[in-house]
């Protein structure tokens, strides 16, 4: 069968979500952010909630999430997305409110905001990208940087005596009464992408059922700042990040 | 049941990250020798006969550049 | 007959918030203004008007809750005192940059640092000159009575939405804590979500209908030319505010040879100083700026031909006096008298300082 005979509208099985804009993402080639953006857009499209979803973008690489997912967006100050999301959800209880944050934003400067929003059980969705490094500012140590990992501010590797330990904030979040669903996923292969999509969908459904805060960590690769190719970075992530940040549901009630 | 598939790559949006290449179970996809206007070598069907239209490439693509078609044979 | 109550300034703020149709209050306890949130929690407006009241984990979080609420086109406010306002300055800069309406009440205490819980006016510069980073202005209202605490909540929200800009009520521990008669105005009902979509749906994050692309609220623009254009637009707005929104009160200025300039609780005390001066045959007047930004510089300039001297009276080391001197531009001597750190002057003390400075 000729390719031309296959490429016909009736044979279409997958195309770019209509909730994504046509703007080319500024992310580096192979960046996990792009996959997660796509999944969020697809879930919003499949649930038919484009008109009811309000996003809050962080400071960091995902600051420009608002250029790529065609919903209403608020761009928060560094670490404060859960505060914006709290007010938005309280003032519009029937909307879906998604805070999208990176590890520096959520697990360092914004620890107070994320802990308290989760502890209050705000009916919001938090998507947490953990790539163990500050991406936008050029590869400095993040709270989640692994011991021994070289970054711009730990050029000889992270040392516990100098830099403290990597923070498993998701495990802390899971202990808070206000959270209903806390999971850790990844997006480096088709199977993991499908699981992450299910997790994002579940989180949004929880929000509609007012079950509390849903928190989806996505262990991600930052190949540029890890100084690897995208394919090498995904492999390095599997070998080094997953043992310390094990995948799976930590809490689901 | 067997499937025959094909993909269409939005060449100008492709950044040549290769994640689709390594995740293709039938070795259909490769990076082109040519580059797009941004200078990225883009992915394409090097072995179109192999494609089953499974969609794994599109699933992992960070830039949503791959459209997938599939027919039953 | 409108209902009249005996209330603290802080309580008046809370009652006004409910009656002026506020959608949300987000705050963090700090003396001397904690009665604002305490009163709101007692009143339980979520049961009546549907207003949201939330105790946040910090002032940083409070102001960012305002950011989120303001993005939604909702009438949102917070209150705090000096150290808490310092934490909020980043958020106010963001909100000014993103052109968002909100109301912030600062019941000033003595500083710097943790300072004291007694009244002061040491945050004039912070309120009027920026406080946070970047070239921005917020509209600053200075109440001198419990009634004005109440009324300026309504005025503040009106100005915030008229100009899509943060507004601050700059009060102090004296006005916040003192009890006076306050007349409750006719209640204004909250806008419905549908009304908000109709009025503010072209910019607010209310959920994207199929008819438009997503609204984006951000203060970020990485291209220098775009960022400059945003700055120019903001400066144009601030100029419009300067031209249209100056408010002040003149007392006994018609025949005055000497004029005191004072705001808030200082102005209340200066009213008694006028009586002392007049009894001694000194023709003294008082100009009370009600808006600190925009500053009533033209009102000051108009009085200059008849004046022999001006004294700015403030509960700080001399902050507003700089704006008075800019307005006067050297044509008349401008003196200053102030107390700091929670200490308050008496009317006699002010008169004594005035007599000494002008050799009367």
């Amino acid at each position: 069968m000729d390719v031309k005979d296959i490429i016909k509208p009736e044979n279409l099985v997958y195309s770019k979500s209509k909730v994504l804009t046509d703007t080319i993402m500024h992310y580096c080639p192979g960046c996990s952010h792009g996959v997660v953006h796509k999944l969020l857009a697809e879930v919003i499209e499949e649930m038919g909630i484009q008109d009811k979803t309000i996003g809050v973008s962080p400071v960091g690489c995902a600051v420009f999430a608002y250029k790529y997912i065609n919903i209403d967006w608020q761009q928060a100050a560094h670490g404060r997305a859960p505060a914006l999301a709290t007010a938005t959800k309280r003032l519009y209880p029937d909307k879906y409110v998604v805070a999208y944050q990176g590890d520096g934003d959520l697990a360092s400067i914004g620890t107070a905001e994320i802990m308290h929003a989760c502890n209050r059980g705000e009916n919001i969705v938090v998507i947490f990208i953990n790539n163990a490094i500050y991406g936008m500012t050029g590869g400095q140590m993040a709270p989640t940087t692994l011991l021994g990992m070289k970054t711009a501010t730990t050029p000889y590797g992270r040392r516990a005596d100098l830099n403290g330990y990597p923070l498993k904030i998701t495990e802390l979040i899971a202990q808070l009464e206000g959270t209903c669903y806390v999971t850790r996923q990844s997006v480096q292969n088709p199977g993991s992408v499908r699981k992450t999509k299910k997790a994002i969908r579940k989180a949004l459904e929880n929000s509609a059922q007012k079950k509390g805060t849903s928190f989806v960590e996505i262990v991600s690769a930052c190949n540029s700042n890890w100084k690897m190719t995208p394919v090498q970075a995904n492999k390095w992530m599997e070998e080094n990040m997953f043992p310390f940040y094990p995948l799976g549901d930590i809490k689901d009630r | 049941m067997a499937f025959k598939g094909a993909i269409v790559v939005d060449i100008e949006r492709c950044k040549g990250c290769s994640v689709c290449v390594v995740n293709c179970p039938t070795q259909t996809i490769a990076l082109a020798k040519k580059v797009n206007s941004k200078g990225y070598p883009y992915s394409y069907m090097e072995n179109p006969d192999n494609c089953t239209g499974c969609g794994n490439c599109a699933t992992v693509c960070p830039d949503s550049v791959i459209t997938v078609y599939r027919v039953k044979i | 007959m409108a209902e009249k109550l005996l209330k603290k300034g802080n309580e008046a703020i809370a009652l006004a918030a409910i009656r002026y149709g506020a959608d949300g209050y987000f705050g963090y306890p700090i003396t001397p203004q904690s009665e604002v949130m305490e009163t709101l929690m007692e009143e339980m407006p979520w049961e009546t008007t549907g207003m949201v009241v939330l105790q946040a984990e910090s002032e940083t979080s409070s102001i960012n809750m305002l950011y989120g609420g303001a993005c939604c086109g909702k009438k949102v406010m917070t209150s705090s005192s000096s150290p808490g306002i310092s934490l909020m300055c980043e958020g106010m800069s963001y909100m000014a940059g993103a052109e968002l309406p909100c109301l912030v009440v600062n019941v000033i205490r003595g500083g710097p640092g943790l300072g004291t819980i007694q009244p002061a006016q040491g945050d004039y510069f912070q309120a009027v000159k920026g406080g946070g980073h970047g070239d921005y202005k917020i509209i600053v209202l200075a109440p001198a009575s419990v009634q004005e605490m109440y009324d300026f909540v309504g005025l503040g929200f009106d100005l915030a939405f008229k100009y899509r800009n943060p507004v601050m009520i700059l009060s102090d521990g004296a006005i916040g804590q003192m009890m006076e008669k306050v007349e409750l105005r006719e209640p204004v009902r909250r806008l419905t979500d549908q009304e908000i979509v109709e009025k503010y749906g072209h910019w607010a994050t209310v959920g994207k209908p199929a008819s438009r692309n997503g609204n984006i609220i951000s203060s970020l623009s990485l291209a220098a030319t775009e960022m400059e254009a945003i700055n120019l637009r903001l400066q144009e707005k601030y100029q419009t505010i300067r031209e249209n929104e100056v408010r002040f009160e003149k007392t006994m200025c018609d025949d005055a040879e000497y004029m005191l300039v004072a705001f808030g609780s200082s102005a209340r005390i200066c009213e008694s100083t006028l009586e002392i001066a007049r009894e001694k045959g000194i023709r003294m007047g008082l100009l009370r700026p009600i808006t600190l930004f925009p500053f009533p510089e033209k009102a000051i300039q108009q009085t200059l031909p008849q004046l022999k001297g001006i004294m700015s009276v403030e509960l700080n080391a001399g902050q507003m006096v700089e704006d008075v001197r800019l307005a006067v531009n050297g044509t008349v001597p401008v003196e200053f008298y102030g107390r700091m750190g929670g200490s308050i002057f008496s009317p006699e003390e002010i008169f004594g300082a005035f007599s000494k400075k002008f050799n009367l």
Side-chain angles (χ1 to χ4, degrees):
Chain A
M1 190 181 270
D2 194 73
V3 167
K4 276 181 206 145
D5 298 322
I6 303 171
I7 300 174
K8 287 180 176 169
E10 62 268 30
N11 298 332
L12 179 72
V13 288
Y14 184 90
S15 63
K16 182 166 85 74
S17 168
K18 290 180 183 64
V19 174
L20 285 173
T21 66
D22 289 330
T23 308
I24 295 177
M25 294 188 192
H26 71 290
Y27 300 116
C28 305
C31 176
S32 309
H33 274 302
V35 185
V36 180
H37 282 22
K38 173 179 70 178
L39 296 182
L40 180 57
E42 287 177 359
V43 172
I44 289 170
E45 185 175 359
E46 287 164 20
M47 289 176 71
I49 56 170
Q50 191 176 12
D51 59 337
K52 297 186 194 69
T53 307
I54 297 168
V56 186
S57 79
V59 168
C61 282
V63 64
F64 290 125
Y66 55 70
K67 291 187 178 182
Y68 312 128
I69 302 178
N70 192 8
I71 54 172
D72 281 357
W73 280 98
Q74 307 169 358
Q75 196 281 302
H78 201 17
R80 317 301 174 213
L84 278 72
T86 293
T88 301
K89 183 66 181 177
R90 294 238 177 177
L91 291 162
Y92 287 128
D94 297 327
K95 305 273 192 241
Y96 295 83
V97 182
V98 181
Y100 189 111
Q101 301 183 261
D103 43 48
D105 195 81
L106 182 143
S108 189
I109 194 168
T111 41
E113 282 76 12
I114 192 64
M115 283 288 168
H116 286 278
C118 288
N119 197 46
R120 287 189 301 263
E122 303 293 344
N123 288 301
I124 58 172
V125 173
V126 179
I127 294 180
F128 168 42
I129 305 294
N130 175 12
N131 55 18
I133 207 155
Y134 281 74
M136 190 69 132
T137 43
Q140 296 81 12
M141 181 186 73
T144 50
T145 296
L146 298 174
L147 288 177
M149 201 172 156
K150 287 181 182 173
T151 71
T153 50
T154 55
Y156 307 106
R158 181 175 190 162
R159 273 170 52 179
D161 60 336
L162 286 178
N163 314 112
Y165 296 91
L167 179 59
K168 291 185 178 180
I169 195 154
T170 305
E171 277 79 353
L172 295 177
I173 297 278
Q175 292 179 36
L176 303 175
E177 283 298 321
T179 51
C180 62
Y181 178 49
V182 179
T183 188
R184 183 184 282 126
Q185 302 292 337
S186 66
V187 291
Q188 82 283 14
N189 57 38
S192 62
V193 171
R194 289 187 190 106
K195 280 187 193 164
T196 300
K197 185 172 173 179
K198 274 188 194 155
I200 292 173
R201 173 143 193 158
K202 182 175 206 162
L204 282 161
E205 287 169 353
N206 285 343
S207 159
Q209 292 162 24
K210 304 200 170 16
K211 289 170 76 174
T213 312
S214 291
F215 188 96
V216 182
E217 173 181 344
I218 295 143
V219 181
S220 299
C222 178
N223 58 72
S224 288
N225 284 307
W226 292 0
K227 306 189 194 313
M228 298 174 195
T229 67
V231 173
Q232 283 170 344
N234 280 340
K235 189 159 182 290
W236 190 92
M237 175 176 74
E238 288 176 344
E239 290 168 358
N240 297 277
M241 296 273 283
F242 291 177
F244 191 78
Y245 298 113
L247 304 187
D249 290 349
I250 300 170
K251 180 181 193 176
D252 184 9
R253 69 174 184 210
Chain B
M1 197 183 294
F3 291 98
K4 187 89 183 70
I7 62 166
V8 175
V9 175
D10 186 341
I11 290 170
E12 278 306 307
R13 297 172 63 92
C14 179
K15 295 172 184 164
C17 72
S18 280
V19 174
C20 58
V21 177
V22 297
N23 277 295
C24 175
T26 58
Q27 288 79 48
T28 303
I29 310 175
L31 287 193
K33 299 276 187 292
K34 287 193 271 185
V35 296
N36 63 18
S37 68
K38 296 270 183 0
Y40 292 123
Y42 47 87
S43 63
Y44 79 113
M45 287 198 291
E46 188 180 46
N47 304 304
D49 292 344
N50 292 3
C51 184
T52 61
C54 70
N56 279 1
C57 52
T59 302
V60 297
C61 176
D63 291 283
S64 298
V65 307
I66 300 174
T67 308
V68 185
Y69 298 87
R70 182 168 60 178
V71 290
K72 285 180 201 168
I73 50 170
Chain C
M1 264 292 274
E3 193 181 357
K4 285 181 187 166
L5 299 172
L6 184 65
K7 286 287 168 190
K8 281 188 178 187
N10 291 336
E11 294 165 343
I13 293 276
L15 298 180
I18 300 167
R19 282 166 181 75
Y20 280 113
D23 296 303
Y25 172 95
F26 305 89
Y28 186 78
I30 182 171
T31 309
Q33 63 76 52
S34 295
E35 295 85 355
V36 178
M37 186 161 48
E38 288 168 7
T39 305
L40 283 167
M41 291 297 187
E42 280 167 16
E43 292 284 318
M44 296 200 292
W46 53 90
E47 300 283 353
T48 51
T49 70
M51 178 186 178
V52 169
V53 186
L54 181 62
Q55 180 169 340
E57 62 270 25
S58 67
E59 289 92 348
T60 305
S61 194
S62 305
I63 193 73
N64 284 286
M65 287 175 181
L66 255 63
Y67 188 114
C71 285
C72 295
K74 298 272 185 175
K75 265 185 177 175
V76 287
M77 65 178 290
T78 187
S79 60
S80 189
S81 181
S82 311
I85 297 292
S86 292
L87 284 175
M88 291 184 184
C89 282
E90 179 201 37
M92 279 189 269
S93 169
Y94 271 70
M95 293 180 84
E99 294 194 78
L100 291 172
C102 72
L103 181 63
V104 176
V105 181
N106 181 2
V107 183
I108 311 178
R109 53 193 260 176
L114 198 51
T116 175
I117 58 172
Q118 276 82 27
Q121 296 180 319
D123 301 354
Y124 176 92
F125 281 151
Q126 185 191 52
V128 169
K129 307 295 178 186
H133 57 284
D135 281 304
Y136 76 93
K137 289 282 180 191
I138 59 174
I139 298 168
V140 183
L141 305 171
S145 65
V146 172
Q147 186 66 54
E148 283 190 340
M149 289 285 259
Y150 184 99
D151 292 343
F152 288 1
V153 171
L155 174 63
F157 274 130
D158 289 347
L159 292 172
F161 276 86
K162 182 175 178 185
Y163 294 101
R164 274 179 64 188
N165 204 72
V167 173
M168 179 181 282
I169 294 178
L170 193 72
S171 180
D172 63 58
I175 310 263
Q177 293 294 328
M178 75 183 184
M179 294 186 86
E180 279 187 318
K181 186 180 64 184
V182 57
E183 183 180 319
L184 305 186
R185 311 298 189 193
E186 194 62 31
V188 178
R189 78 168 169 80
R190 288 177 59 227
L191 295 181
T192 64
D193 287 356
Q194 188 51 39
E195 285 168 335
I196 287 173
V197 168
E198 284 159 16
K199 284 185 94 157
Y200 311 124
H202 59 288
W203 61 266
T205 56
V206 293
K208 182 202 96 68
S211 55
R212 63 161 169 83
N213 281 326
N215 282 337
I216 296 163
I217 296 185
S218 173
S219 57
L220 174 71
S221 191
L222 288 179
T225 49
E226 281 175 28
M227 198 63 232
E228 186 176 44
I230 292 168
N231 267 286
L232 289 169
R233 194 180 71 233
L234 290 177
Q235 291 303 319
E236 206 175 308
K237 177 166 83 175
Y238 303 147
Q239 193 53 38
T240 308
I241 292 170
R242 284 187 187 97
E243 283 158 19
N244 297 336
E245 304 301 342
V246 172
R247 288 166 172 79
F248 59 89
E249 185 183 75
K250 279 181 173 172
T251 308
M252 297 187 207
C253 284
D254 290 349
D255 66 341
E257 289 181 329
Y258 293 93
M259 190 168 78
L260 303 181
V261 182
F263 68 96
S265 54
S266 296
R268 287 289 287 271
I269 298 165
C270 284
E271 282 173 18
S272 303
T273 308
L274 293 193
E275 287 170 21
I276 297 169
R278 291 274 166 174
E279 271 172 26
K280 294 182 191 294
I282 296 168
R283 301 208 308 252
M284 182 188 272
L286 169 66
L287 189 143
R288 174 170 78 94
I290 293 172
T291 51
L292 300 179
F293 176 81
F295 191 70
E297 52 197 20
K298 284 190 187 127
I300 291 174
Q301 285 158 359
Q302 281 160 5
T303 59
L304 293 179
Q306 69 194 62
L307 291 182
K308 293 178 180 166
I310 291 177
M311 188 165 85
S312 185
V313 183
E314 307 168 49
L315 291 170
N316 58 41
Q319 299 190 14
M320 182 178 68
V321 65
E322 292 192 4
D323 286 330
V324 176
R325 287 194 173 118
L326 283 171
V328 170
N329 201 17
T331 54
V332 164
V334 177
E335 298 289 348
F336 167 77
Y337 185 68
R339 296 289 297 271
M340 290 174 285
S343 299
I344 300 182
F345 29 56
S346 67
E348 294 77 14
E349 183 183 344
I350 296 168
F351 183 75
F354 165 81
S355 309
K356 205 169 160 190
K357 286 180 195 285
F358 289 104
N359 296 313
L360 292 169

